[in-house]
Structures are given as C-alpha cells and as structure tokens.
C-alpha cells in the first residue's frame, strides 16, 4: 500500500517535470545500457511534505 502511494506521488512529480519542461521539478534517470532498464532515479525540486515533517522532528530518530 505504501509503495503504491509512493509510485503515484512519483508519477505526479514526473508529470510536473514534463508539464513545466523541468523548470519546477526534474528527474535524472540512470539506465543500465546492457539491458536498457532503468536502475535508478534522482528527483530535484520543491521539498515534499514528508521531508518537511521528518525535518521538523530533527535527526535524532535516525540514530
């Protein structure tokens, strides 16, 4: 269930990238050229609500 929500969010972010031509948010995509499969992505853009929430808790929960 969490994975499905994350996929939906990533899809919205990717659509925002295409819609703004990368001005608001954009993705770098890593491809394994031996089999032409996507092996990773990095997105750059506005901070998500999840990151804002985690940042407000401090980093103590990470340790």
């Amino acid at each position: 269930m969490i994975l499905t929500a994350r996929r939906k969010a990533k899809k919205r972010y990717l659509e925002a990238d295409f819609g703004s031509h990368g001005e608001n948010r954009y993705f770098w995509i890593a491809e394994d050229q031996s089999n032409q499969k996507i092996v990773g992505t990095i997105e750059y853009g506005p901070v998500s609500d999840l990151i804002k929430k985690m940042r407000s808790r401090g980093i103590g929960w990470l340790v």
Side-chain angles (χ1 to χ4, degrees):
M1 180 134 153
I2 293 173
L3 186 57
T4 301
R6 290 176 67 189
R7 284 183 180 154
K8 287 180 180 178
K10 291 287 184 184
K11 184 177 178 184
R12 284 193 314 272
Y13 296 157
L14 187 56
E15 288 169 350
D17 175 25
F18 288 135
S20 72
H21 301 287
E23 290 183 22
N24 299 325
R25 177 182 303 275
Y26 59 92
F27 282 77
W28 289 301
I29 299 174
E31 177 186 31
D32 181 343
Q33 293 184 346
S34 69
N35 59 17
Q36 296 182 329
K37 291 188 177 184
I38 294 174
V39 295
T41 62
I42 299 173
E43 87 184 61
Y44 178 83
V47 178
S48 70
D49 290 336
L50 176 62
I51 292 175
K52 289 177 186 176
K53 179 180 174 183
M54 293 303 185
R55 188 176 65 189
S56 70
R57 292 175 52 191
I59 61 169
W61 64 276
L62 289 172
V63 216

